[in-house]
């Protein structure tokens, strides 16, 4: 099963028949998401597999992130479990660039997208390694390690720093948020099964 992708205009035209799953962190999701999207962070995707399998049986899944990289990874995981899903090409960045609205709750705090968090932390660590390395040469290895990690991330398509940052409290979903999302998706399955 090969995951497919939808351009923002294609997804916008079909939004009424798609179940949208946003795999960004809860902080990123709260800072702006496609209206009606369900937030299931990538790190919690395994927990949601049974509910997502049922939802995919009911209709098409569209998986969304900020740029399309995490949603493509999520689609590959879903495909490996026999769950068909499409990814939004370019993610919410492309969605808003094409003039489509992102829903932002009034009380939501702004959280940087994960790729911006990674760039900030990586840059800070490299500069710290170079600055401290002026007095203590061994500190330069911090810069070397971060640079090596970035190269590995680009080659492998995975990012250890993003996985670590996703565990920060500002990026973590509250258990009730994930539970509520899964309950809504499960309730939709119950309604479909009963013919309502």
């Amino acid at each position: 099963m090969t995951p497919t992708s939808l351009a923002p205009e294609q997804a916008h035209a079909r939004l009424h028949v798609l179940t949208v799953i946003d795999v960004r962190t809860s902080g990123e999701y709260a800072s702006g998401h496609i209206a009606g999207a369900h937030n299931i962070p990538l790190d919690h995707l395994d927990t949601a597999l049974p509910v997502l399998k049922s939802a995919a049986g009911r209709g098409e899944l569209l998986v969304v992130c900020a740029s399309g990289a995490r949603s493509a990874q999520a689609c590959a995981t879903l495909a490996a479990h026999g769950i068909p899903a499409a990814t939004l090409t370019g993610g919410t960045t492309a969605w808003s660039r094409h003039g489509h609205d992102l829903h932002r709750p009034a009380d939501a705090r702004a959280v940087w997208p994960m790729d911006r968090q990674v760039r900030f932390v990586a840059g800070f660590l490299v500069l710290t390694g170079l600055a401290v390395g002026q007095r203590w040469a061994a500190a330069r290895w911090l810069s070397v390690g971060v640079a090596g990690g970035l190269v590995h991330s680009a080659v492998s398509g995975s990012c250890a720093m993003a996985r670590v940052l996703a565990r920060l409290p500002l990026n973590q979903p509250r258990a009730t948020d994930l539970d509520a999302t899964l309950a809504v998706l499960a309730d939709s399955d119950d309604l479909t099964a009963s013919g309502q």
Side-chain angles (χ1 to χ4, degrees), residues 17-191:
V17 297
L18 298 169
T19 299
V20 182
I21 306 298
D22 192 319
V23 295
R24 297 176 298 159
T25 66
S26 61
E28 291 175 286
Y29 172 82
S31 66
H33 58 271
I34 296 172
H38 303 280
N39 184 221
I40 301 175
L42 185 60
D43 288 349
H44 298 273
L45 194 63
D46 288 342
T47 303
L49 287 173
V51 172
L52 291 173
K53 188 170 190 104
S54 295
R58 182 177 74 247
E60 298 175 75
L61 297 182
L62 176 67
V63 184
V64 177
C65 69
S67 67
R70 284 178 281 176
S71 60
Q73 184 180 350
C75 282
T77 299
L78 293 173
H81 287 88
I83 304 170
T87 185
L88 178 64
T89 304
T92 55
T93 303
W95 179 266
S96 62
R97 191 172 45 241
H98 280 83
H100 305 303
D101 290 333
L102 292 175
H103 175 69
R104 291 180 176 87
D107 62 343
R109 63 177 188 235
V111 174
W112 286 354
M114 187 56 65
D115 62 327
R116 187 173 178 191
Q117 292 180 45
V118 168
R119 289 191 312 262
F120 176 80
V121 171
F124 178 80
L125 291 174
V126 168
L127 289 175
T128 299
L130 292 173
V132 174
Q134 296 296 317
R135 298 197 75 121
W136 185 48
R140 293 182 189 145
W141 285 105
L142 175 62
S143 299
V144 171
V146 171
L150 291 172
V151 169
H152 178 267
S153 174
V155 170
S156 69
S158 67
C159 183
M161 188 179 294
R163 284 193 303 274
V164 170
L165 291 173
R167 296 184 187 282
L168 291 176
L170 67 114
N171 288 321
Q172 279 298 303
R174 295 184 305 241
T176 54
D177 290 344
L178 182 59
D179 293 342
T181 298
L182 296 177
V184 167
L185 286 169
D187 286 345
S188 296
D189 289 338
D190 294 341
L191 290 175

